[in-house]
Amino acid sequence: MINRLKKIGFASKLILSMSLLSISCAKSESTSIDPGLVLPNHGIEEVTLQKNMPFPMGAAVNVSLLKSNANYRNLVIKEFNSVTAENAMKFASIHPAKDTYTWSDADYVVDFAVANGKRVHGHTLNWYKSLPDWVNNFQGSTADWENLLKTHIQTVVGHFKGKVTSWDVVNEAVNEDGTLRNSIWVQKLGPDYIGRAFQYAHEADPNALLFYNDYGHEFGPTKRTAILNLVTSLKNKGIPIDGIGIQMHTRVTQTDANLTAAITTAAATGLKIHISEIDISLNPDNVQSMTYTTALGDQQAAKYKTIVQAYKTIPKSQQYGITQWNVTDADSWIPSNYNRPDWPLPFDAQYQRKAAYQAILDAVK
């Protein structure tokens, strides 16, 4: 009997030892697992941008990829809590003929966002680009042009009332030299059309937050000052403007001082600040033979960190969030637009996190 108990005791110890060994192996293996993966029943908290950043993190989304590419769609669902339609809400997409509105793509983005608990930022009600032929060729009086502007803005904003939280009302109205861009809107309606565009949007949805959106704040003081003068003049006139969109299509060679000044000077207006279209080019000189390296990735990460650190310092009530322009390097507009290799986003073409991803998280610690 005693011998049997000894045998049972030995067997129990052996089983216990094997169990401990197996747990120990599992722990050592788990250190090599991507921290973004959820390990069942281990209580390890998943790290994502939307969960771990103190302000909204967004991405501009391509509708066809959202529909057709599960990796793309799942990454948006997992990482971001705000979405912008990359192209689906632009004038030519949504209003291709005078009496025709095509809502399907824009509705798809909004429905996707609502279904997944994400905020929608609308882009854009007025721009000098992406206009349909019927607008470029429109013949009419000043009153006819005013009606065209008002009808477009109020129809679009009205369609999404209560679903789209905020809008880029006017996009890129300022030239690099600080002058007002001589767009078709300025030619037909004069510079004061900008303020009226905001008023029309506000009338259509009084609860929507309204932004002026532009690039080049970080180029230097010339364009930056002109943008800030424009938004300040709108604010001083009582125009319903809530925020400034700093696009931040920038490059790894831009100075930290300029990147920081772009954010802090805009915040000094007291308006909400949305870094609305961020990407950081690694190949601004269009070197066709360039390849991605760890060193380049680290340089890019440092610039993302600088930007996020500067953004974190502005008052919490002014932090509308940071939105990257598309989701991964594979989807970015930069390589095709400039016909060059480039890797401007925090996710690579295989949907994996780059050094820039961790730098964004580190910047708010």
Side-chain angles (χ1 to χ4, degrees):
M1 186 70 169
I2 290 167
N3 283 343
R4 279 187 61 199
L5 287 170
K6 279 183 180 173
K7 284 180 184 173
I8 291 168
F10 176 75
S12 300
K13 283 178 184 173
L14 187 64
I15 290 165
L16 181 62
S17 299
M18 289 175 69
S19 299
L20 289 169
L21 183 63
S22 128
I23 289 166
S24 163
C25 289
K27 279 186 178 170
S28 66
E29 284 173 6
S30 74
T31 59
S32 66
I33 293 174
D34 174 5
L37 294 178
V38 186
L39 299 179
N41 304 322
H42 285 241
I44 295 175
E45 185 65 31
E46 183 181 30
V47 174
T48 69
L49 293 176
Q50 66 175 326
K51 284 183 184 175
N52 292 82
M53 294 297 284
F55 37 73
M57 295 296 290
V61 293
N62 175 306
V63 180
S64 61
L65 288 173
L66 208 56
K67 290 178 179 178
S68 64
N69 185 323
N71 288 329
Y72 182 96
R73 182 185 181 93
N74 290 338
L75 192 62
V76 175
I77 291 170
K78 176 180 176 180
E79 294 285 352
F80 303 103
N81 47 11
S82 180
V83 296
T84 301
E86 185 183 34
N87 293 309
M89 292 184 185
K90 289 175 179 171
F91 206 131
S93 301
I94 213 164
H95 194 178
K98 187 173 186 298
D99 299 314
T100 304
Y101 289 85
T102 52
W103 302 112
S104 58
D105 281 355
D107 281 345
Y108 186 90
V109 172
V110 172
D111 292 345
F112 163 82
V114 170
N116 290 285
K118 303 186 188 304
R119 180 181 79 183
V120 184
H121 178 70
H123 176 82
T124 173
L125 298 172
N126 179 271
W127 191 27
Y128 72 100
K129 287 184 177 176
S130 194
L131 294 173
D133 289 342
W134 76 268
V135 172
N136 287 321
N137 301 325
F138 187 75
Q139 301 294 315
S141 65
T142 303
D144 294 331
W145 274 95
E146 192 72 32
N147 184 59
L148 186 162
L149 176 74
K150 181 178 182 179
T151 301
H152 174 78
I153 290 173
Q154 296 202 327
T155 303
V156 174
V157 175
H159 179 83
F160 295 109
K161 184 177 180 179
K163 293 180 179 178
V164 171
T165 306
S166 52
W167 287 96
D168 290 330
V169 178
V170 177
N171 194 50
E172 300 176 3
V174 176
N175 287 314
E176 271 78 330
D177 65 2
T179 59
L180 201 62
R181 194 182 297 281
N182 188 31
S183 67
I184 196 169
W185 304 108
V186 169
Q187 291 167 26
K188 301 299 182 182
L189 295 169
D192 287 344
Y193 92 88
I194 295 172
R196 295 196 299 278
F198 278 86
Q199 287 170 325
Y200 296 148
H202 181 68
E203 288 168 9
D205 186 355
N207 293 321
L209 296 171
L210 306 180
F211 286 75
Y212 173 76
N213 192 57
D214 215 328
Y215 66 89
H217 293 253
E218 77 281 8
F219 292 176
T222 305
K223 182 167 185 177
R224 177 163 69 235
T225 302
I227 292 168
L228 299 180
N229 287 344
L230 171 61
V231 298
T232 301
S233 72
L234 293 172
K235 190 180 172 188
N236 291 343
K237 290 174 187 171
I239 301 295
I241 178 170
D242 300 290
I244 303 170
I246 301 174
Q247 291 185 12
M248 205 62 85
H249 291 294
T250 195
R251 50 185 59 188
V252 75
T253 51
Q254 185 54 262
T255 67
D256 288 356
N258 273 336
L259 294 170
T260 300
I263 295 163
T264 56
T265 56
T269 63
L271 294 168
K272 292 183 184 298
I273 305 301
H274 183 201
I275 297 182
S276 55
E277 305 184 18
I278 193 170
D279 43 37
I280 301 180
S281 167
L282 290 177
N283 188 14
D285 296 325
N286 289 46
V287 178
Q288 293 302 315
S289 60
M290 184 179 277
T291 56
Y292 184 81
T293 63
T294 303
L296 274 175
D298 290 344
Q299 288 177 45
Q300 182 183 58
K303 293 299 175 184
Y304 269 102
K305 189 172 184 179
T306 294
I307 291 165
V308 177
Q309 282 177 327
Y311 190 74
K312 187 196 173 194
T313 66
I314 72 173
K316 186 77 182 162
S317 62
Q318 290 178 258
Q319 294 173 354
Y320 196 63
I322 297 178
T323 296
Q324 59 181 60
W325 206 243
N326 224 308
V327 179
T328 78
D329 289 340
D331 327 306
S332 169
W333 67 289
I334 289 174
S336 58
N337 193 70
Y338 294 103
N339 189 29
R340 73 186 190 215
D342 216 326
W343 309 267
L345 293 170
F347 297 90
D348 68 20
Q350 285 72 48
Y351 300 83
Q352 299 303 304
R353 299 165 175 182
K354 292 160 60 184
Y357 183 98
Q358 188 60 45
I360 291 167
L361 294 171
D362 290 345
V364 297
K365 287 179 179 173

